[in-house]
Every structure is written in C-alpha cells, then in structure tokens.
Amino acid sequence: MNLAVREALRAFQRAPMLSLLSITTIAFSLFAFGLFGLVYLNLRDALAQVEERVEIRGFVAEGTSAEATSAAVGDIAAFPEVASVRYVSDVQALERARRELGEFEDVFEAGILPASIEVRLREGQRDPESVRSVARRLEFYDFIDDIRYGEEWVEKLYKIRNIATAVGLSLGVIFAIVAIIIIGSTIRMAVLARSREIHIMRLVGATNGFIRAPFLVEGFLKGVLGGLLALVLTYFTFEFVGQYVVEATYFGSGLAVLGVLAGALIGLLGSAVSVGRHLRRV
Amino acid sequence: MIRFTHVSKLYPKGGPALDDVSFHVNRGEFVFLTGPSGAGKSTILKLVYVDQRPSQGEVRIAGQSSVTLTGSAVPKLRRRLGVVFQDFRLLEDRTAEQNVAFALEVIGTPQDAIGPKVARVLTQVGLAGKATALPHELSGGEQQRVAIARALVNDPLVLLADEPTGNLDDRATRGIFQLLRDINATGTAVLMATHDLATVRANPYRTLEMNRGKLVYDSASEHPAAADEFDAPVPDASETPQ
Ligand SMILES: Nc1ncnc2c1ncn2[C@@H]1O[C@H](COP(=O)(O)OP(=O)(O)O)[C@@H](O)[C@H]1O
Ligand SMILES: [Mg+2]
C-alpha cells in the first residue's frame, strides 16, 4: 500500500493548483458546517440560560379568595411540565418592585400591582410550544385576568437558532457537493495524467482495487488536509469574534476530530464516486 | 494452451474484425501472425490478453474460457501473459529498472523479491549495464528490450508481441528477433504479430496468415495436426501473493 501513497503524492505534485482547489473547497464546506455549528452551540447555551428564567405569570383578579388561589396553585403544580408554582400576593409584589427599583420606590402605591401566580417549567419543557400550552391551561381559571410569558423573545431566539442551523447545514451540504464535484474533476485529470501507468498496470495484471487505491488515498489525504484547514479557519473566526464581538465557546476536541474525519469522508467519497467512471474511459 | 474456436469479433462501430477464426497454439511454440494492416492480428492478441471479448465463439487461454471468465479473474490471467507493442509503452519518467519493477510492484510482489527478479531479467535481455537509464536515453531497440524485460519478469507462459520490430531499423530488428528466439528457447511460447515478411520467410516457425478478419493460412495444418493434449489447465507457477 505504500505504493498507493507514493503514487498519490505524485498526483499532488503533478496538479498542485487543482489539488489545492479541492482542499480549499472541502475546507469551505466544513468551515460552513463549523461556523454555523458554533453559532448553534453558543445559541444553545444562551437559550439554556434564558430558558431557565422562562416564567409564566398569571395575574389574579382583585378580590379572589385565598382558597381559590391556593387550590389553583395545587392544580397547576400537578401539571407534568411544571417545576414550581408560587403565589405572589399584591403586598409581596409591591415589596419586590420597591426592592428591585429602589430609587423609584415612591412611584408605587399599594394596590397598583396585582397578585399573581408564577409558574416555572421543568428543564426540557421550556420551549415556546410547551410554554404556550401551559399558558393556555392557566386561562381556564376565571380569576386569572392576564397571562404574560415573554413569548416574543423566546420565540425569536428559537427562530434564530433554527435559521442558523438550516443555513449552516445547507451551505455545508452545498460546499460538500461542490467539493465532491471538484475532487471528481481532479480525479479525472489524475486518471488522464496516469493513463499510461493505468494501462500498464492492467496489462501486467494489477487488480482494479490496486489501480484505484492511489486515487482513494489521494482523496482521503485531501479531505484530511481540508478538514484541518477548516479547523484553523473556524478557530481564527472564533478568536476574532471572541475578541471583538462576544465571548463564545469553541468545539471540544471530539467535535474537532469529527470535523477532520468528515473532511476525509468527503475526500474519499469524491474520489470513490468518480474514479470507477473515469477509469473505465482510459 | 491458446485455443480459438469459431471466434468472430465485431467492434461496436466497424465491420467484422475477425470472422470465424479457429486455431490453437501449444506450449512453448513460436508462432508468427502475419497479414496486411487491418487484417485482425492485433485483435487476436487483444482477445488473448482479454482486452477484448469475442462476439462469437470461444477463446481458451491456459485452461480459462472466455465464456466463463469473469472480469475479476482477468488480472490473474494476465499475470501469466507478457505483452509487448510496437511503441514500447514505457513510463518516460522512470528508469529501465523502475519500469520493470513497476510491473512487479503493482501486482503486490514483496519488496525484497523485486530487486533480484529485475536484475535477472535485465541481464537476460542484455541491458544489465543500462538499468538506471531513462527511456529517452536508450535507443529504440534498447527500449523494446526494457519492454520485453517487463513482459518477462513474471515468467509468462506466452509472450504476445504486436509488431515488436515495427519501429526499429534492420539491425535492431535482428537483435530483438534473436532475443525473442532465445526467450522461446527457454520454453516460453511466443505469438508475434508482424508484417515483416523477410523475417517470417527466413525462419522455420509456424505461421498464421490473416486477411480481412479471416485466417487464410496456417502452416501447421499442411502437416497432420498434432492431437491437442495442451488445453488442460496449466499449473500456475508464476503466481505471486498479493
Ligand atoms: N477499437 C476498435 N473499434 C473499431 N474497430 C476496430 C477497433 N480496433 C480495430 N478495429 C478494426 O478491426 C479491424 C482489424 O484491426 P486490427 O486487429 O488492429 O488489425 P491489424 O492488427 O492486423 O492491423 C480493422 O478493420 C480495424 O479498423
Ligand atoms: Mg495491429
């Protein structure tokens, strides 16, 4: 097999620009995956933090009896999505507002803030869907006037995450396809450049596997190099963003290795799909 | 060892290149394949080294039949044949010995077995002193010797030579032909396509003459044909582990 490696390296020498082009496209493909992967990872972390604070607040009408509210609190606590329920009386609400907004304490008068029932959801149940569904169930209580749950920004964050994922995936897939096509054409050139060798290999009885091996090795090496390049690119982008825009988290080493392996896979695939077809023509 | 039975060959575009050709070649035989250009000589050789398959009839080589031979069995069969051409087909960027070694490397010959085999066969073709020369540093006759060395290095049952002297001057032609005779003398069959009638007439070897895809003359059939006990599978002595 060291023959295959040697012949693959010869192919690099013979078409350095085209080889570089294949490596770069693989790198861009994985760069796109990687960049949006980072966006995804960081948004996921941000969402997790934000979600912890997701809270559904039902405002209780004036004059509602304590029995009614405590019965409701008991009911709501039994919802499967619900982690905790708390009743905040109008007096408590006023105290809290004064505490939080100390300098404006005079603005608040007793009776201005209604009592409320505050509901926190369990982890994994804090997506917009579950939040809405719990909120709808709170509406059944006649004495609950109004329900707030910061729906807008929760849904916006989710949307951003989904868009980033979709854009990243499609760009990555597009670049991967381009990379496979470019690798295919480099293989075509490499096959033509080696047509004499291939002819002689066949003549003296080399197996198809043996004839193919150098091309597969070539694709594999390009893929690994492309993967490493993508890793470097994402790292610099990440550093740049970290320095000038926002503190963020980077891939763990497991994901980095996975990225390089993905490159190797793209390279191998690009070679494998075209080598047979082109070999048949020489 | 090589047997054609009612073989016809039609190329996808073009008329019949071979039309109902039957003959056989025994082990160790030297056979000329003659006839004008386009007669079908190269096609016969291509059918033997399975570059082409017959359209009709059967080609048997070393006990293998074209009817049952699968694509994946072809490489193994080719390792028992040597082929040389008019245009040598050497790799220009490799030395004489590297060209010969290449034929061993690509069939997975162990690295330490390659050197001695290459040296032995280069000596056999008279090029021991030019092992490190590149093809363009060699004369035509010498380049053909490298090609013959490459064809011989796996100890083939038969050497197939398609106009091996077609590009050579008289002196080089005589040299190459003498080499082919020497090779034949060691027991390797030689099937040589040529339209060099002077060489054919000057030598007592069997001649198959082709014309427009038909076998029009077989010097062996003037004598009572020997019973063919040679079609049995030939033990595979040249097999190399992969
Ligand atoms: N690959 C091919 N495709 C179509 N026709 C071919 C091909 N090879 C040979 N022929 C035709 O088959 C006939 C025999 O060719 P060939 O065997 O090369 O003859 P020779 O070697 O005796 O000159 C010729 O008419 C030639 O044009
Ligand atoms: Mg010919």
Side-chain angles (χ1 to χ4, degrees):
Chain A
M1 272 305 117
N2 74 29
L3 176 81
V5 175
R6 218 167 59 224
E7 297 291 325
L9 292 179
R10 252 178 215 263
F12 269 75
Q13 281 175 354
R14 223 173 319 215
M17 287 316 287
L18 212 55
S19 300
L20 217 59
L21 187 64
S22 342
I23 293 170
T24 324
T25 0
I26 294 177
F28 273 124
S29 162
L30 294 168
F31 183 47
F33 275 127
L35 223 48
F36 288 88
L38 280 182
V39 169
Y40 177 87
L41 273 183
N42 283 285
L43 275 180
R44 193 193 57 187
D45 290 354
L47 274 170
Q49 283 178 14
V50 162
E51 279 174 347
E52 258 174 56
R53 286 186 272 149
V54 164
E55 195 178 65
I56 303 166
R57 216 181 266 199
F59 293 102
V60 178
E62 253 181 280
T64 306
S65 71
E67 294 83 57
T69 47
S70 66
V73 165
D75 285 355
I76 295 165
F79 290 179
E81 297 97 330
V82 170
S84 67
V85 189
R86 197 156 67 104
Y87 175 72
V88 181
S89 72
D90 50 355
V91 178
Q92 287 168 328
L94 183 64
E95 269 169 17
R96 185 165 67 184
R98 283 189 169 149
R99 205 166 49 237
E100 285 174 3
L101 303 162
E103 49 189 309
F104 300 110
E105 71 179 273
D106 299 340
V107 177
F108 299 106
E109 287 166 30
I112 221 181
L113 289 173
S116 63
I117 293 175
E118 293 180 1
V119 181
R120 282 174 182 272
L121 299 183
R122 288 179 199 282
E123 222 181 307
Q125 305 283 352
R126 294 167 184 157
D127 56 292
E129 198 59 41
S130 315
V131 171
R132 259 200 308 270
S133 128
V134 173
R136 265 199 304 273
R137 269 175 278 162
L138 292 192
E139 283 171 12
F140 286 121
Y141 299 97
D142 290 337
F143 54 83
I144 291 183
D145 285 343
D146 192 11
I147 297 164
R148 303 256 171 93
Y149 53 94
E151 61 259 69
E152 293 226 321
W153 51 266
V154 171
E155 283 182 14
K156 219 172 257 171
L157 270 180
Y158 266 95
K159 219 174 258 172
I160 290 173
R161 190 188 73 174
N162 291 343
I163 289 172
T165 310
V167 169
L169 280 180
S170 19
L171 271 184
V173 166
I174 289 168
F175 274 115
I177 291 170
V178 172
I180 287 174
I181 291 170
I182 290 181
I183 289 173
S185 68
T186 36
I187 293 288
R188 191 171 67 93
M189 298 212 18
V191 166
L192 288 181
R194 283 172 46 80
S195 61
R196 236 187 148 77
E197 276 96 336
I198 292 166
H199 168 77
I200 290 162
M201 284 169 106
R202 286 194 178 134
L203 210 57
V204 301
T207 58
N208 276 332
F210 218 101
I211 294 172
R212 248 165 232 254
F215 299 103
L216 298 183
V217 170
E218 189 186 333
F220 178 83
L221 288 178
K222 281 177 184 167
V224 169
L225 290 176
L228 290 174
L229 184 59
L231 219 51
V232 170
L233 284 177
T234 38
Y235 185 74
F236 279 120
T237 313
F238 162 78
E239 280 286 294
F240 179 85
V241 169
Q243 202 157 352
Y244 297 102
V245 190
V246 63
E247 200 62 42
T249 31
Y250 194 61
F251 299 121
S253 55
L255 274 177
V257 169
L258 202 70
V260 176
L261 282 182
L265 193 71
I266 294 176
L268 210 55
L269 212 66
S271 303
V273 297
S274 64
V275 71
R277 188 155 43 91
H278 295 310
L279 278 177
R280 235 168 284 137
R281 289 196 204 134
V282 298
Chain B
M1 182 186 54
I2 298 173
R3 172 180 287 277
F4 278 53
T5 313
H6 300 299
V7 172
S8 295
K9 175 67 189 176
L10 271 156
Y11 285 108
K13 7 182 181 181
L18 291 182
D19 181 6
D20 194 18
V21 172
S22 298
F23 67 90
H24 74 266
V25 174
N26 293 328
R27 285 194 97 168
E29 214 176 351
F30 195 119
V31 179
F32 285 124
L33 196 54
T34 68
S37 184
K41 305 182 292 296
S42 297
T43 300
I44 286 183
L45 296 181
K46 284 176 184 170
L47 288 167
V48 176
Y49 64 86
V50 208
D51 182 60
Q52 295 290 338
R53 301 281 196 146
S55 310
Q56 269 171 41
E58 183 193 24
V59 177
R60 290 187 74 88
I61 310 125
Q64 303 266 21
S65 163
S66 62
V67 178
T68 53
L69 190 71
T70 60
S72 58
V74 171
K76 205 162 176 192
L77 176 59
R78 287 195 185 139
R79 292 177 194 190
R80 314 180 68 194
L81 311 171
V83 194
V84 296
F85 300 93
Q86 183 170 358
D87 56 359
F88 321 137
R89 306 199 184 173
L90 300 176
L91 301 173
E92 298 297 329
D93 57 347
R94 298 179 208 227
T95 63
E97 62 186 358
Q98 285 170 344
N99 265 283
V100 178
F102 185 75
L104 293 170
E105 286 169 355
V106 301
I107 60 170
T109 309
Q111 205 60 38
D112 54 354
I114 291 178
K117 277 181 186 252
V118 172
R120 176 180 57 76
V121 78
L122 280 177
T123 305
Q124 190 184 351
V125 301
L127 278 185
K130 305 233 169 171
T132 58
L134 290 166
H136 70 84
E137 297 165 339
L138 297 170
S139 72
E142 288 168 335
Q143 290 185 50
Q144 190 62 290
R145 284 170 192 270
V146 177
I148 291 171
R150 180 177 66 194
L152 281 185
V153 75
N154 265 316
D155 300 316
L157 291 166
V158 57
L159 183 63
L160 307 169
D162 195 351
E163 317 251 6
T165 60
N167 274 352
L168 303 178
D169 60 28
D170 282 353
R171 221 172 67 87
T173 294
R174 281 196 299 278
I176 291 298
F177 186 67
Q178 185 56 49
L179 176 59
L180 294 179
R181 286 169 51 153
D182 293 345
I183 290 164
N184 178 243
T186 68
T188 308
V190 177
L191 183 51
M192 170 175 168
T194 180
H195 52 231
D196 174 10
L197 288 180
T199 302
V200 173
R201 290 200 183 111
N203 287 281
Y205 297 129
R206 178 172 166 205
T207 304
L208 299 173
E209 190 182 330
M210 298 294 300
N211 197 1
R212 297 181 188 206
K214 286 189 185 298
L215 179 58
V216 292
Y217 172 72
D218 178 354
S219 62
S221 62
E222 289 182 337
H223 317 287
D228 181 26
E229 76 273 31
F230 296 100
D231 196 36
V234 181
D236 189 348
S238 67
E239 194 175 335
T240 4
Q242 216 186 346

